[in-house]
Amino acid sequence: MSLALFAQLELRDRENQPPSCVERNGFCPDWIADNWERYKTPLIEHIELTLISVAIGFVIAFSLALIAHRRRWLIPPITQITGILYTLPSVALFFLLLPLTGRGKTTAIIALVAYSLLIIFRNVITGLDEVPEEARDAGRGMGLTPRQLLWRVELPLALPAIMAGLRIAVTTTVGLTALVFLAGAGGLGEAIFADTQFRSNVVVAGGLCVVLAVVLDLTVLGVQKLITPWTRGVAT
């Protein structure tokens, strides 16, 4: 009887205690501290997918832009094709690719690369087109060949526009990567949708996406300032 009475008293004490932070579905710092490790792998996957996709997209779009810069008739078709890819709904594109490439990171990277092409291509073309004609004339006067003119004059002067496009592509890709869990590629989106009803989980996983976008954006901006020192004193 004493054991039963003790159990009843303990149960009554528990019932009289206020609900915990988790039970109230609030923002729970203690829970976050205890469960921080669960976000480590998704964050690493998110960073990996973002950097790989942007790198591949930059190489492809930059190469296409250099070719189109010399063969101007290529600009409209390339812009149209990359524009169509950019306007495709991301979820639909994932499911369209699944029968071809299967679930996993390959499908995610192909889709993410496709979304970055238009942004980077357009900014490279814009940057090259905005190079002052006087700078080109000066380069020709120095005896530079068209290839030398491109790499020594045009591209350095186009770098601010190119880097601006890269910043947009990076931050956009961070956001889109939150959906690649639909293709079985992991990332922070998987952590978010694992429990969308629990506020602390959504705040932490979503907050990490935002922080990652800001950090990568500032990193690209820092690189831009290092490789374009002549723009530091120019107001934007």
Side-chain angles (χ1 to χ4, degrees), residues 120-132:
I120 299 173
F121 175 80
R122 188 168 53 189
N123 276 68
V124 175
I125 290 294
T126 300
L128 291 172
D129 288 345
E130 290 179 349
V131 173

Side-chain angles (χ1 to χ4, degrees), residues 17 21 51 53 58 63 84 98 100 103 129 153 155 162 195 207 213 229:
Q17 289 179 353
C21 179
L51 296 181
S53 301
F58 183 83
S63 301
I84 291 172
L98 284 177
L100 302 175
R103 291 176 59 83
D129 288 345
V153 178
L155 280 175
I162 295 173
D195 191 355

Side-chain angles (χ1 to χ4, degrees), residues 90-110:
S90 55
V91 176
L93 183 56
F94 289 141
F95 286 111
L96 284 173
L97 289 172
L98 284 177
L100 302 175
T101 55
R103 291 176 59 83
K105 293 183 178 180
T106 300
T107 297
I109 290 173
I110 291 174

Side-chain angles (χ1 to χ4, degrees), residues 28-37:
C28 310
D30 292 339
W31 181 91
I32 294 171
D34 294 337
N35 293 271
W36 184 254
E37 286 294 323

